[in-house]
Amino acid sequence: MKYLTIVYLGLVLGLVMLFFQDPELEESIERGSEIYADFCVTCHMPNGEGVAHTFPPLANSDYLKLNREASIRGIKYGQDGELIVNGVTYNNTMAPLGLEDEEVADVMNFILNSWGNSSETKVTLEEVAIITE
């Protein structure tokens, strides 16, 4: 009986996840993971933990949650100067990556939904396109 209950709950949870996931977001996250592997992993590390006092963590990042537009701008145009992430000050330069707006949206969706981060709002191409330097 206990086994059947566990199987039943697992099936219900699986169906709920299947029907309520945004397939466009899932595809964007998948593309974003590839972009992250190509452009971001060297500094921010495979698990988004960054390098202490050099490259800020993306994992469980309060900065990402509180500074969505600035985060998009940083990926789109690069970033220079001080920023505080999880109470630690970082002062380094991130060169522009040369990504298209759709790639910026995809990598943001990946980052915002990985390593303890969670975003209920998908970053869209339109949102990235209106952000200027």
Side-chain angles (χ1 to χ4, degrees), residues 1 14 19 30 32 36 42 55 57 65-66 76 82 84 89 95 100 107 118 120 126 133:
M1 185 67 176
F19 289 116
E30 180 62 34
Y36 184 87
T42 303
F55 302 115
K65 294 173 192 163
L66 299 172
K76 187 172 179 176
E82 278 191 5
I84 299 172
T89 301
E100 300 292 328
V107 78
S118 178
E120 294 186 17
E126 295 78 19
E133 248 179 308

Side-chain angles (χ1 to χ4, degrees), residues 22-23 32 43 45-46 69 74 78 92 94 97 102 106 110 121:
D22 178 352
C43 298
M45 302 290 115
E69 186 176 323
N92 210 335
M94 182 173 119
L97 302 173
E102 184 175 24
D106 289 342
F110 172 69
T121 307

Side-chain angles (χ1 to χ4, degrees), residues 43 53-56 79-83 89-95:
C43 298
H53 303 285
T54 306
F55 302 115
Q79 192 161 344
D80 191 26
E82 278 191 5
L83 61 129
T89 301
Y90 293 85
N91 190 1
N92 210 335
T93 299
M94 182 173 119

Side-chain angles (χ1 to χ4, degrees), residues 14-48:
L15 287 173
V16 167
M17 290 178 64
L18 177 68
F19 289 116
F20 291 105
Q21 284 184 340
D22 178 352
E24 288 181 21
L25 176 59
E26 292 300 317
E27 291 171 9
S28 177
I29 290 170
E30 180 62 34
R31 290 188 306 266
S33 71
E34 294 172 16
I35 295 164
Y36 184 87
D38 288 344
F39 292 91
C40 313
V41 73
T42 303
C43 298
H44 294 288
M45 302 290 115
N47 292 320

Side-chain angles (χ1 to χ4, degrees), residues 36 41 44-51 55-61 115 117:
Y36 184 87
V41 73
H44 294 288
M45 302 290 115
N47 292 320
E49 69 269 17
V51 176
F55 302 115
L58 303 175
N60 292 307
S61 171
W115 317 301
N117 299 318

